Amino acid sequence: MATPYYTKQPVFLEDPSGRFDNILNRNHQRTGYADSTSTRLNFPFTPTISVIQSTNYNQYDLSHTNFQQRAFDSHTNMELNITAPMIVRSTEEAEYVYKAALWIRSTMKMSWKNDDNPGMPPPILRFYSHGIYENVPCVVRDFTWNLDSDIDYVETANGMRVPVMNTFVLSLSVTHSPRS
């Protein structure tokens, strides 16, 4: 059975830094749509994406007035909340979903101890969605993966059990370097 996890999807998150040895690529080989050093997390089932944008205003209190005046201060970086279904139908897909959860958790941590560059901050990822958002630099702020009790699990070759119905919930913060 062909799995949608290894084919290019309209919504994905990519790490171009190469820090994670491309753990989500089936054979760790060049796939034709991304550099072999980059890691791409495909969302094969259309996720719900909430885009949050806001501005900040300063308040001015003037004497003898009933209302406060406001003046524009700044615009905050865009926040993206993604709720992605991850369905498991085989041991291969179970391993992918587990590796995807491991990869997301890894992108939230700095490198340390025996890593190549200990002390490096988490990588800046790139978000792509339906052609609306292309190459958006972001960091993962929150990640939730529930292991529910009322559904079946698929056992992998190494004895790990992964739910057949998963929901990944990610909070991404858009971040721009001073040069961009």
Side-chain angles (χ1 to χ4, degrees), residues 5 17 39 43 52 70-71 74 78 83 94 102 120 141 143 156 162-163 168 173:
Y5 288 97
S17 74
T39 302
F43 296 107
I52 303 157
R70 299 198 181 270
S74 62
M78 180 172 59
T83 304
L102 183 67
M120 271 184 79
R141 286 191 30 217
F143 171 59
T156 63
V162 178
F168 284 5
S173 288

Side-chain angles (χ1 to χ4, degrees), residues 9-11 43-49 83-85 130:
Q9 300 295 325
V11 181
F43 296 107
F45 305 98
T46 305
T48 299
I49 302 168
T83 304
H130 305 292

Side-chain angles (χ1 to χ4, degrees), residues 13-149:
L13 194 58
E14 188 172 56
D15 172 26
S17 74
R19 284 171 54 181
F20 299 103
D21 193 30
N22 202 1
I23 65 170
L24 295 178
N25 187 347
R26 182 181 296 166
N27 299 319
H28 289 71
Q29 296 173 349
R30 188 174 181 89
T31 57
Y33 58 82
D35 182 29
S36 61
T37 61
S38 66
T39 302
R40 174 179 287 180
L41 170 62
N42 286 308
F43 296 107
F45 305 98
T46 305
T48 299
I49 302 168
S50 300
V51 179
I52 303 157
Q53 294 183 312
S54 58
T55 58
N56 297 317
Y57 287 87
N58 285 330
Q59 178 177 307
Y60 295 96
D61 296 320
L62 301 175
S63 299
H64 307 291
T65 61
N66 292 329
F67 303 100
Q68 295 78 33
Q69 301 300 313
R70 299 198 181 270
F72 177 78
D73 179 41
S74 62
H75 180 274
T76 61
N77 288 352
M78 180 172 59
E79 300 283 326
L80 297 161
N81 291 334
I82 301 170
T83 304
M86 303 292 272
I87 298 168
V88 172
R89 301 169 296 176
S90 66
T91 58
E92 181 182 29
E93 290 180 356
E95 288 175 8
Y96 183 91
V97 169
Y98 172 74
K99 287 179 182 178
L102 183 67
W103 178 74
I104 293 168
R105 290 173 36 212
S106 297
T107 64
M108 297 171 67
K109 296 172 176 50
M110 64 187 284
S111 59
W112 64 288
K113 205 172 177 178
N114 296 330
D115 291 338
D116 290 338
N117 296 306
M120 271 184 79
I124 305 297
L125 306 177
R126 302 294 184 196
F127 178 68
Y128 297 81
S129 175
H130 305 292
I132 299 170
Y133 297 105
E134 294 288 328
N135 201 27
V136 176
C138 60
V139 292
V140 179
R141 286 191 30 217
D142 296 305
F143 171 59
T144 304
W145 178 32
N146 292 329
L147 302 173
D148 294 329
S149 63

